[in-house]
Amino acid sequence: MEVGNLLERRGLVSSDDLQRARAQAAGQRIDQVLVTMGLVDEEDALRALADDLGMRYVELKDFEIDRELLAKFPTSAIFRHSLLPLARQNGSVDVATSDPFDLEALDELSSLSGMRLRPVLARSADVSQLIKQHLGVGGDTITELVARSAEDSVELLDEIEDQSGELADEAHAASVIRLVNELIVEALAQRASDVHIEPTEKGLDVRVRVDGLLQAQPVPPEINQFYAAIVTRLKIMSRLNIAEKRLPQDGRINLRVGGREIDVRVSVIPMLYGEGIVLRLLDKDRMAFDLGTVGMTGELGTTFRSLIRRPHGIVLVTGPTGSGKTTTLYGALNEIKNVATKIVTIEDPVEYHTSGVSQIQVHSKIGLTFAAGLRSVLRHDPDVVLIGEIRDGETAEAAIQASLTGHLVFSTLHTNDAPSAFTRLIDMGVEPYLVASTLQGVLAQRLLRVLCTKCKRVSTPGPDDLPPDFPVEQWKASGGDLFEPAGCRHCHGTGFAGRSGVFELLKTDDAVRRLCVDRADASQIRDYAIRHGMMTLRQSGWERVIAGLSSIDEVLRITESDLV
């Protein structure tokens, strides 16, 4: 039976949808067209085909691949045809494929390996993921036996300089270009924010940071011999000095990947066994600078919005590196941005380009520091000024002076909680009365991983399993369930997909000002704020758990207990 009729008979597609798909087929298999159009789930289609053809459908999640068996097959054919040998069964080898009609591919793999093959059906994405997991990203490029064109989907938006020499020639080789492009494309597919390429005594390690946590990226061992060429290629792309291997270097690459503009920050640092590289991936199309999107809702969101609309003063966002401070501040700027408001930012570096905002890049080597830039900006008639970070007493003093002259100043500070911002500024040399009179509020934040909606499962912890500060009564009053991560193909087995902010907002009142002038320590300011209704980071995390958005273990990972 024709595939389309089979799917229609099984009730997987309507007659009208089938006609629409046939009109767009243009020689493609009708089931693949239906899957691409979103009219049929690939798993349902493959199960129907397997049943009709007398084949098996295999769910590859958590499937244990026989590595010794896999090593007996040529890597090039596996990558070229997306065929994955799974296990021996009764004298033949089960091979996972998403195309039961590609008999030539099966014949070629059988001929090359000398083994009898029996095809079983599996989702194409699962087959591809397991191939990369076991043979490594770029495994086909390493062998240079497969002319896959990953470079076609990665476009450099900036011109790169022509460089000569043996290293440069190796870096310009098609195989190295493909390999570097594949590393970037694969990291983006996993929603990674960073790629770490690290030389070790035994070879080369590649790790990617997804939702704030590093995880190993499988690569074939043969990649070690391409290490120098990979480093040189990345240096050329980011316009760095390829001959300098003793000093750290920082650069930037502008790419277009699959139609999306990607900004890549490159950091190269010499290490014991060679140069280590970290790529920070900024996907401009996926950035959403909106306070609601980052998780700032309810009463806390209302209070913060009132702070950022003050006519003057300082509003600080605090937290460790990678806690989303810049995203929150850009969300705040978007809230207040209008034609009547002049907004100027001073950043190092300018991470996100946004319309309606004048942005300045710090250049410390020529004297354009945060403090110097701010003094010049104040003569530029701004209403709102964003300082990327208050790093020293000079910048703190300049921010104070800007707020005293009628400007609203946003900035970030590295402290563990909101109350500590007051004492940190005083430690930098700012007079306590100036801190008290200008600091309008402090927002501390962290990024909490959100449970994957496809696979999260109900958790039933006993009384002894709950942390001492878990709000049991609040949970029982809500009547909802607690959840924990499970792991599925949609979240790459982590159980989490995306992150959301948890917040601690301290709004300055008369009592906080008096404590600040009296040089009270952070714990005294914190005790007062909690007694008068400040929600701590921990409490904000528990709210997310009770709402079913995250897990208890995740809150324990990123926040400290409020109990002394």
Side-chain angles (χ1 to χ4, degrees):
M1 180 178 294
E2 192 264 341
V3 178
N5 294 335
L6 169 67
L7 298 180
E8 182 182 9
R9 190 186 70 181
R10 296 291 180 101
L12 297 177
V13 64
S14 68
S15 177
D16 290 342
D17 287 343
L18 187 58
Q19 293 305 316
R20 285 170 51 205
R22 282 175 172 154
Q24 299 184 29
Q28 289 181 275
R29 267 181 34 214
I30 193 66
D31 57 316
Q32 294 177 339
V33 176
L34 287 165
V35 170
T36 302
M37 294 175 67
L39 300 175
V40 172
D41 181 77
E42 184 183 16
E43 180 177 333
D44 293 337
L46 289 174
R47 286 186 182 276
L49 279 173
D51 187 48
D52 190 67
L53 297 172
M55 301 171 67
R56 270 198 314 138
Y57 175 83
V58 177
E59 176 57 68
L60 292 182
K61 180 179 176 292
D62 300 327
F63 195 97
E64 289 294 329
I65 304 295
D66 186 339
R67 289 181 176 272
E68 291 186 5
L69 175 66
L70 188 60
K72 300 180 183 297
F73 288 83
T75 302
S76 57
I78 290 174
F79 273 98
R80 183 164 59 248
H81 300 302
S82 286
L83 296 172
L84 179 61
L86 299 177
R88 297 179 185 273
Q89 293 282 352
N90 301 323
S92 61
V93 176
D94 286 347
V95 176
T97 178
S98 61
D99 187 354
F101 303 109
D102 191 358
L103 301 180
E104 288 185 10
L106 288 164
D107 288 343
E108 179 184 339
L109 190 63
S110 177
S111 176
L112 291 171
S113 64
M115 300 185 189
R116 283 179 48 203
L117 306 182
R118 179 171 58 188
V120 296
L121 298 188
R123 292 176 71 254
S124 58
D126 291 346
V127 174
S128 177
Q129 181 180 342
L130 275 179
I131 289 174
K132 291 177 180 177
Q133 180 178 322
H134 289 277
L135 296 178
V137 175
D140 54 340
T141 304
I142 290 294
T143 62
E144 294 194 90
L145 295 175
V146 184
R148 292 178 60 190
S149 55
E151 69 267 28
D152 292 343
S153 63
V154 178
E155 176 188 354
L156 272 172
L157 298 182
D158 296 328
E159 292 290 331
I160 59 177
E161 298 178 3
D162 288 332
Q163 302 202 38
S164 58
E166 185 178 347
L167 273 177
D169 292 343
E170 289 182 12
H172 285 303
S175 58
V176 175
I177 293 174
R178 282 200 300 270
L179 181 56
V180 170
N181 289 346
E182 283 191 43
L183 287 171
I184 294 173
V185 169
E186 182 64 19
L188 289 169
Q190 296 183 46
R191 299 176 294 105
S193 60
D194 302 85
V195 180
H196 293 241
I197 303 172
E198 303 161 320
T200 67
E201 184 179 9
K202 297 181 179 179
L204 187 65
D205 286 345
V206 178
R207 294 187 290 173
V208 294
R209 189 179 297 278
V210 179
D211 291 337
L213 292 181
L214 281 172
Q215 55 190 46
Q217 176 66 68
V219 291
E222 292 84 0
I223 198 174
N224 296 333
Q225 61 186 294
F226 290 91
Y227 161 68
I230 291 170
V231 172
T232 304
R233 172 62 185 170
L234 287 168
K235 282 184 175 181
I236 290 173
M237 292 171 71
S238 47
R239 299 191 295 280
L240 299 178
N241 183 355
I242 65 172
E244 180 57 74
K245 299 183 179 182
R246 301 164 300 170
L247 295 174
Q249 298 187 71
D250 295 308
R252 185 171 182 170
I253 308 170
N254 288 317
L255 301 173
R256 184 178 288 115
V257 180
R260 291 155 36 204
E261 283 196 24
I262 308 297
D263 194 6
V264 184
R265 300 290 162 74
V266 182
S267 173
V268 184
I269 295 180
M271 297 181 177
L272 186 61
Y273 297 106
E275 291 176 287
I277 296 184
V278 174
L279 309 178
R280 167 64 61 90
L281 307 177
L282 301 175
D283 190 342
K284 298 177 181 179
D285 291 344
R286 290 186 179 177
M287 296 308 300
F289 298 115
D290 177 79
L291 294 180
T293 303
V294 299
M296 192 177 296
T297 56
E299 184 179 347
L300 183 139
T302 302
T303 304
F304 186 71
R305 286 178 172 88
S306 71
L307 284 176
I308 64 177
R309 286 179 167 82
R310 295 279 179 93
H312 54 78
I314 300 176
V315 177
L316 293 179
V317 179
T318 77
T321 301
S323 59
K325 301 186 295 295
T326 303
T327 303
T328 297
L329 284 178
Y330 268 88
L333 293 183
N334 280 336
E335 287 266 342
I336 64 175
K337 183 173 65 176
N338 57 59
V339 176
T341 304
K342 171 78 170 184
I343 301 174
V344 182
T345 74
I346 310 168
E347 304 170 71
D348 183 23
V350 176
E351 293 193 26
Y352 310 110
H353 301 275
T354 183
S355 61
V357 176
S358 303
Q359 297 173 277
I360 299 172
Q361 170 75 53
V362 166
H363 289 287
S364 300
K365 292 181 180 178
I366 60 173
L368 182 54
T369 61
F370 281 118
L374 182 53
R375 285 192 290 269
S376 298
V377 160
L378 295 183
R379 296 191 290 271
H380 211 64
D381 190 31
D383 299 297
V384 179
V385 180
L386 185 151
I387 308 171
E389 182 184 347
I390 295 179
R391 296 176 178 173
D392 50 42
E394 185 185 11
T395 307
E397 290 280 3
I400 294 287
Q401 292 303 317
S403 68
L404 289 173
T405 52
H407 302 88
L408 181 61
V409 179
F410 294 155
S411 191
T412 68
L413 198 64
H414 287 287
T415 63
N416 289 327
D417 58 14
S420 298
F422 291 85
T423 55
R424 177 63 59 84
L425 290 174
I426 294 172
D427 290 342
M428 286 181 175
V430 182
E431 290 294 334
Y433 73 90
L434 289 176
V435 176
S437 62
T438 57
L439 192 51
Q440 302 290 340
V442 184
L443 179 77
Q445 73 176 70
R446 300 289 188 277
L447 289 178
L448 185 78
R449 290 189 297 169
V450 176
L451 288 168
C452 174
T453 56
K454 302 286 187 181
C455 66
K456 68 178 183 180
R457 61 192 177 204
V458 174
S459 172
T460 54
D464 296 335
D465 299 325
L466 294 172
D469 60 345
F470 184 80
V472 177
E473 296 303 321
Q474 182 183 345
W475 166 43
K476 291 182 178 178
S478 72
D481 291 319
L482 300 181
F483 293 89
E484 63 183 7
C488 66
R489 64 171 67 100
H490 298 283
C491 60
H492 301 286
T494 64
F496 296 92
R499 291 186 290 177
S500 179
V502 292
F503 304 98
E504 175 179 287
L505 178 59
L506 174 53
K507 186 177 179 181
T508 309
D509 60 16
D510 290 339
V512 172
R513 290 188 180 96
R514 284 194 298 272
L515 287 168
C516 183
V517 171
D518 293 339
R519 293 181 179 267
D521 61 34
S523 62
Q524 291 176 277
I525 299 175
R526 181 177 183 79
D527 290 343
Y528 167 81
I530 292 175
R531 288 198 308 271
H532 289 78
M534 182 185 78
M535 177 181 291
T536 65
L537 288 167
R538 186 76 150 206
Q539 291 166 345
S540 179
W542 291 143
E543 279 202 344
R544 300 291 196 280
V545 172
I546 292 171
L549 297 176
S550 195
S551 68
I552 290 175
D553 287 342
E554 181 65 7
V555 173
L556 295 176
R557 184 181 70 85
I558 69 161
T559 64
E560 293 183 353
S561 174
D562 295 328
L563 301 178
V564 179

CSV table of all heavy atoms in Angstrom, one decimal, residues 155-158 237 239 252-256 261-264 284:
chain,number,residue,atom,x,y,z
A,155,GLU,N,27.7,31.1,7.9
A,155,GLU,CA,28.2,32.2,7.1
A,155,GLU,C,28.9,33.3,8.0
A,155,GLU,O,28.3,33.8,8.9
A,155,GLU,CB,27.0,32.9,6.3
A,155,GLU,CG,27.4,34.1,5.5
A,155,GLU,CD,26.2,34.8,4.9
A,155,GLU,OE1,25.1,34.2,5.1
A,155,GLU,OE2,26.4,35.8,4.3
A,156,LEU,N,30.1,33.6,7.7
A,156,LEU,CA,30.8,34.7,8.4
A,156,LEU,C,30.3,36.0,7.9
A,156,LEU,O,30.3,36.3,6.7
A,156,LEU,CB,32.3,34.6,8.1
A,156,LEU,CG,33.2,33.7,9.1
A,156,LEU,CD1,34.6,33.5,8.5
A,156,LEU,CD2,33.2,34.3,10.5
A,157,LEU,N,29.9,36.9,8.8
A,157,LEU,CA,29.3,38.2,8.4
A,157,LEU,C,30.4,39.2,8.3
A,157,LEU,O,30.2,40.3,7.7
A,157,LEU,CB,28.3,38.6,9.4
A,157,LEU,CG,27.1,37.7,9.5
A,157,LEU,CD1,26.1,38.2,10.5
A,157,LEU,CD2,26.4,37.5,8.2
A,158,ASP,N,31.6,39.0,8.8
A,158,ASP,CA,32.7,39.9,8.8
A,158,ASP,C,33.8,39.4,7.9
A,158,ASP,O,34.1,38.2,7.9
A,158,ASP,CB,33.3,40.3,10.1
A,158,ASP,CG,32.3,41.0,11.0
A,158,ASP,OD1,31.4,41.7,10.5
A,158,ASP,OD2,32.3,40.8,12.3
A,237,MET,N,39.1,33.6,12.4
A,237,MET,CA,37.7,34.0,12.4
A,237,MET,C,37.4,35.2,13.3
A,237,MET,O,36.6,36.1,12.9
A,237,MET,CB,36.7,32.9,12.8
A,237,MET,CG,36.7,31.7,11.8
A,237,MET,SD,35.8,30.3,12.4
A,237,MET,CE,34.1,30.9,12.4
A,239,ARG,N,39.8,37.4,14.2
A,239,ARG,CA,40.8,38.4,13.8
A,239,ARG,C,41.8,38.6,15.0
A,239,ARG,O,42.1,39.7,15.4
A,239,ARG,CB,40.1,39.7,13.4
A,239,ARG,CG,39.2,39.6,12.2
A,239,ARG,CD,38.8,41.0,11.7
A,239,ARG,NE,37.9,41.6,12.7
A,239,ARG,CZ,36.6,41.4,12.9
A,239,ARG,NH1,36.0,40.5,12.1
A,239,ARG,NH2,35.9,42.1,13.8
A,252,ARG,N,36.0,38.4,18.6
A,252,ARG,CA,34.6,38.3,18.4
A,252,ARG,C,34.3,37.8,17.0
A,252,ARG,O,35.0,38.2,16.0
A,252,ARG,CB,34.0,39.7,18.6
A,252,ARG,CG,32.5,39.8,18.5
A,252,ARG,CD,32.1,41.2,18.9
A,252,ARG,NE,30.6,41.4,18.9
A,252,ARG,CZ,30.0,42.5,19.4
A,252,ARG,NH1,30.7,43.4,20.0
A,252,ARG,NH2,28.7,42.6,19.3
A,253,ILE,N,33.3,37.0,16.8
A,253,ILE,CA,32.9,36.5,15.5
A,253,ILE,C,31.4,36.7,15.3
A,253,ILE,O,30.6,36.4,16.1
A,253,ILE,CB,33.2,34.9,15.4
A,253,ILE,CG1,34.6,34.6,15.8
A,253,ILE,CG2,32.9,34.5,14.0
A,253,ILE,CD1,34.8,33.1,15.9
A,254,ASN,N,31.1,37.3,14.1
A,254,ASN,CA,29.7,37.4,13.7
A,254,ASN,C,29.3,36.4,12.7
A,254,ASN,O,30.0,36.3,11.6
A,254,ASN,CB,29.4,38.8,13.2
A,254,ASN,CG,29.5,39.9,14.3
A,254,ASN,OD1,28.9,39.7,15.4
A,254,ASN,ND2,30.1,41.0,14.0
A,255,LEU,N,28.4,35.5,13.0
A,255,LEU,CA,28.0,34.4,12.1
A,255,LEU,C,26.5,34.5,11.8
A,255,LEU,O,25.7,35.1,12.5
A,255,LEU,CB,28.2,33.1,12.8
A,255,LEU,CG,29.7,32.7,13.2
A,255,LEU,CD1,29.7,31.4,14.0
A,255,LEU,CD2,30.6,32.6,12.0
A,256,ARG,N,26.1,33.9,10.7
A,256,ARG,CA,24.7,33.6,10.4
A,256,ARG,C,24.6,32.1,10.3
A,256,ARG,O,25.2,31.5,9.4
A,256,ARG,CB,24.2,34.3,9.2
A,256,ARG,CG,22.7,34.1,8.9
A,256,ARG,CD,22.2,34.8,7.7
A,256,ARG,NE,22.2,36.3,8.0
A,256,ARG,CZ,22.9,37.2,7.3
A,256,ARG,NH1,23.8,36.8,6.4
A,256,ARG,NH2,22.8,38.5,7.6
A,261,GLU,N,21.3,35.2,13.3
A,261,GLU,CA,22.5,35.9,13.5
A,261,GLU,C,23.1,35.4,14.9
A,261,GLU,O,22.4,35.5,15.9
A,261,GLU,CB,22.3,37.4,13.5
A,261,GLU,CG,22.3,37.9,12.1
A,261,GLU,CD,22.5,39.4,12.0
A,261,GLU,OE1,23.1,40.0,12.9
A,261,GLU,OE2,22.0,40.0,11.0
A,262,ILE,N,24.3,35.0,14.9
A,262,ILE,CA,25.0,34.5,16.2
A,262,ILE,C,26.2,35.4,16.4
A,262,ILE,O,27.0,35.6,15.5
A,262,ILE,CB,25.4,33.1,16.1
A,262,ILE,CG1,24.2,32.2,15.6
A,262,ILE,CG2,25.9,32.6,17.4
A,262,ILE,CD1,23.0,32.2,16.5
A,263,ASP,N,26.3,35.9,17.6
A,263,ASP,CA,27.5,36.7,18.0
A,263,ASP,C,28.3,35.8,18.9
A,263,ASP,O,27.8,35.3,19.9
A,263,ASP,CB,27.0,38.0,18.8
A,263,ASP,CG,28.1,39.0,19.0
A,263,ASP,OD1,29.2,38.7,18.4
A,263,ASP,OD2,27.9,40.0,19.7
A,264,VAL,N,29.5,35.6,18.6
A,264,VAL,CA,30.4,34.6,19.3
A,264,VAL,C,31.6,35.4,19.9
A,264,VAL,O,32.3,36.1,19.2
A,264,VAL,CB,31.0,33.5,18.4
A,264,VAL,CG1,31.8,32.5,19.2
A,264,VAL,CG2,29.9,32.8,17.6
A,284,LYS,N,21.1,36.1,18.9
A,284,LYS,CA,20.3,37.3,18.9
A,284,LYS,C,18.8,37.1,18.7
A,284,LYS,O,18.0,37.8,19.2
A,284,LYS,CB,20.8,38.3,17.8
A,284,LYS,CG,22.3,38.7,18.1
A,284,LYS,CD,22.8,39.7,17.0
A,284,LYS,CE,24.2,40.0,17.2
A,284,LYS,NZ,24.8,40.9,16.2
